[in-house]
Amino acid sequence: MEVLTKYVKFEETIKGSRFLSELIPCSSQAQAREILKAQKAKYADATHVVHAFITGNGAEVKGMSDDGEPSGTAGRPALDVLSGRGCTNLILTITRWFGGTLLGTGGLVKAYGNGAKGVIAAANEEGAFQPLVAKRAFTFNADYSLLKPIKNLMESGNFHFWNVKEDFGTEVTLTGEIQADEYETFASKLKDLSNGKINL
C-alpha cells in the first residue's frame, strides 16, 4: 500500500471538453469533503467536478460522486483506477468544462477512466507515491535532567518520528508518533536511560 505525498495534475481535451484531473493528498473523509468543497469553489465555471477518494491505512474508506454526469460514468471509473493502483490517503477530482459535444455513456466512462489513469501515470513518473508507514502515538513525561539524553536518543538516526512536540511544565512532556515497528525498542531505550522512570 502506498500514499500520495504531493499534488499532481493531468489535463486533456476530448471533443472540445476540457478534463482536468488532480490528485491531492488527503487523510480522512472529512478532509476529502473540505478539499472537494474548495475545488468546486475554485472551478465554479466548470460543468462538473467529479471526485473519488480513498483513505485509511487499509484503504478501507472510499467514496465518489458523478456530480451530475450519468450514474456510474464518472466517479466509479475514477475510483476503480485508484483502487487498482493500491494506494490510499488521496482524493482525485476530475473537473470537466463541457465543449458542446455529448460523449455518450461509453465515451464518458472512457474519458473519466483515462483522466484517472493519466494523473496516476504522472504521479508515478514524478515519484509522488511512497510506501505507507504504520505509526504509533506516544506521550511521556521526563525530568529536565533527562531531556538532553532523550534528544540524543531521538536524533540518533535509529528511529523515525513525526509531529514531535515538547511542553514545558514541572516536567517536560513529549508527544508524537513513531514508526510502529520501532516503538518497543524506543520504549526499552527510554526505560534504560531513565533508570525505569519512563514507561511508554
Side-chain angles (χ1 to χ4, degrees), residues 1 17-18 35 47 49 52 59 75 88 90 100 112 120 123-124 131 141 147 160 175 182 188 199:
M1 189 68 63
S17 281
R18 179 182 164 215
I35 291 169
T47 319
V49 181
T88 188
L90 75 170
Y112 283 104
I120 288 283
N124 289 339
N141 297 325
L147 188 55
H160 300 84
T175 59
E182 297 170 352
S188 170
N199 286 299

Side-chain angles (χ1 to χ4, degrees), residues 105-143:
T105 54
L108 287 171
V109 168
K110 189 176 177 192
Y112 283 104
N114 284 350
K117 287 174 189 166
V119 78
I120 288 283
N124 289 339
E125 223 170 84
E126 290 179 32
F129 287 106
Q130 297 290 331
L132 175 67
V133 176
K135 299 172 188 174
R136 191 164 166 187
F138 66 83
T139 301
F140 63 88
N141 297 325
D143 190 82

Side-chain angles (χ1 to χ4, degrees), residues 71-118:
S71 181
T73 63
R76 172 55 60 192
L79 183 59
D80 287 347
V81 171
L82 292 186
S83 297
R85 172 61 180 75
C87 53
T88 188
N89 293 352
L90 75 170
I91 181 170
L92 163 63
T93 63
I94 304 177
T95 306
R96 180 188 185 192
W97 288 267
F98 183 60
T101 303
L102 293 171
L103 300 180
T105 54
L108 287 171
V109 168
K110 189 176 177 192
Y112 283 104
N114 284 350
K117 287 174 189 166

Side-chain angles (χ1 to χ4, degrees), residues 20-42:
L20 173 64
S21 302
E22 296 172 284
L23 276 180
I24 304 163
C26 169
S27 58
S28 68
Q29 190 168 357
Q31 191 184 8
R33 278 195 291 268
E34 289 302 311
I35 291 169
L36 181 61
K37 190 175 165 187
Q39 292 289 84
K40 286 190 171 192
K42 184 177 175 183

